[in-house]
Amino acid sequence: MIRLYQFPISHYCEKSRWALDYKGLPYEIVNLLPGPHLLTTKRLAKRSCVPILDYEGKILQDSTHILEFLEHAIPSPPLIPDKAAEQKEALEWEEYCDAEVGKHLRRYFYHYLLDEPRLMPKLILEQQAWYGRYLYFFTYPLVKRLMRKSMNIYPEPVKRSKQALDEALRRLDREVARREFLVGGRFSRADMAAAALLAPLFTPSEHDYPWPPASNLPEPLQETHARWADSALARWVHRLYRDFRKRGRTHG
Ligand SMILES: N[C@@H](CCC(=O)N[C@@H](CS)C(=O)NCC(=O)O)C(=O)O
């Protein structure tokens, strides 16, 4: 049995779901509620974060480790280029996207979304168990405070994250404007990581998560959406989702 412990909203979890789906593996999804998730994640692994993959009893934490493991367990279809130098380059791109896109985009988005009590709890509770609604009704202010603390979501770090995110978006936009894939001549884990981590910004329809339309978002996020909506990067992410985001065979 393969089981993915995750948050539906998390773009790192989307990266892992995409890898499982791409490899054609059937798996069960276990959605955890941010906050009480600690009870499960600490029992399963060293750190508190998701995604965590239970692959027939072998526990893997962190989306990069999950991709690494899946590539060895199920080599076809491949998620790495053929040549060793390109494999190294693909891993570097993945690490760059995890650090420079994933983390900063999340801090920047959550900064504005957390103060939207009609939007954010709904987004976190999407696809979650029924009791989440009742729990969050009473505890959302506390959850919000803990999320700000654990992800360092305060004005100064958010300002720096916005700059770092802009820089990463400009770099990726330049790169994909002149070639089809980030590394070599075929789709790889580098492209998967970049597209999955950018999904909250470009909200491709193949992404199995109901991101609200940009017009419902707080104004700074609307502006970011508008600025990037017609970019080479947006077209690239939409194309990768259309061509490579196979629907999964999930159950549970
Ligand atoms: N580098 C990790 C990042 C994972 C991560 O930051 N997960 C967040 C959700 S997006 C999380 O689980 N946060 C709650 C926690 O750390 O307890 C990966 O690629 O899996």
Side-chain angles (χ1 to χ4, degrees):
M1 167 66 78
I2 304 173
R3 207 172 262 150
L4 182 72
Y5 294 84
Q6 65 142 16
F7 299 157
I9 192 175
S10 158
H11 51 357
Y12 291 105
C13 295
E14 162 63 1
K15 186 180 143 196
S16 307
R17 289 194 300 267
W18 191 342
L20 285 158
D21 293 338
Y22 193 71
K23 297 289 184 183
L25 290 165
Y27 60 102
E28 183 182 289
I29 278 187
V30 184
N31 288 327
L32 302 178
L33 205 55
H37 77 285
L38 293 172
L39 297 172
T40 308
T41 54
K42 292 283 210 180
R43 177 173 54 80
L44 287 170
K46 279 207 184 104
R47 292 181 294 132
S48 61
C49 58
V50 289
I52 294 176
L53 185 69
D54 177 344
Y55 192 98
E56 292 163 355
K58 183 163 175 61
I59 300 293
L60 297 128
Q61 187 171 41
D62 193 295
S63 61
T64 302
H65 293 152
I66 291 173
L67 262 62
E68 195 70 40
F69 174 84
L70 290 177
E71 189 58 27
H72 280 101
I74 317 281
S76 179
L79 261 178
I80 51 170
D82 283 329
K83 297 183 194 138
E86 288 182 350
Q87 290 175 8
K88 187 168 166 276
E89 210 186 316
L91 191 59
E92 281 164 9
W93 269 115
E94 184 178 346
E95 281 165 359
Y96 173 81
C97 292
D98 284 359
E100 300 302 318
V101 177
K103 208 173 65 174
H104 296 304
L105 185 142
R106 182 177 64 187
R107 184 175 291 129
Y108 173 62
F109 269 55
Y110 279 0
H111 178 61
Y112 294 102
L113 289 173
L114 281 170
D115 283 334
E116 298 285 326
R118 276 198 305 231
L119 193 56
M120 189 62 183
K122 224 171 119 205
L123 290 178
I124 301 179
L125 292 170
E126 182 61 39
Q127 300 167 20
Q128 297 278 11
W130 60 271
Y131 55 79
R133 243 170 359 123
Y134 297 96
L135 196 69
Y136 268 37
F137 183 79
F138 296 107
T139 60
Y140 183 65
L142 175 67
V143 169
K144 187 170 108 168
R145 258 205 326 275
L146 291 176
M147 285 177 74
R148 284 204 183 274
K149 188 157 181 249
S150 69
M151 287 178 267
N152 200 16
I153 308 179
Y154 301 112
E156 266 313 304
V158 169
K159 218 165 112 188
R160 287 197 296 274
S161 277
K162 173 68 168 58
Q163 282 164 1
L165 176 64
D166 282 345
E167 204 177 303
L169 291 173
R170 283 196 298 269
R171 178 173 175 201
L172 283 164
D173 191 54
R174 276 195 309 272
E175 297 286 341
V176 304
R178 50 199 176 87
R179 59 183 191 272
E180 213 178 329
F181 302 109
L182 282 171
V183 184
R186 69 166 184 237
F187 181 69
S188 77
R189 58 191 294 175
D191 307 299
M192 182 180 279
L197 295 168
L198 286 166
L201 176 60
F202 296 120
T203 65
S205 56
E206 297 82 1
H207 184 343
D208 187 21
Y209 183 82
W211 286 103
S215 55
N216 286 6
L217 295 175
E219 212 162 296
L221 300 185
Q222 281 191 33
E223 280 167 20
T224 305
H225 269 275
R227 187 144 42 86
W228 288 97
D230 195 26
S231 60
L233 187 56
R235 285 189 290 281
W236 183 77
V237 170
H238 284 288
R239 181 174 60 77
L240 291 189
Y241 261 87
R242 200 178 53 239
D243 294 352
F244 298 99
R245 184 73 178 93
K246 287 188 222 159
R247 272 269 172 267
R249 290 189 284 142
T250 52
H251 49 92

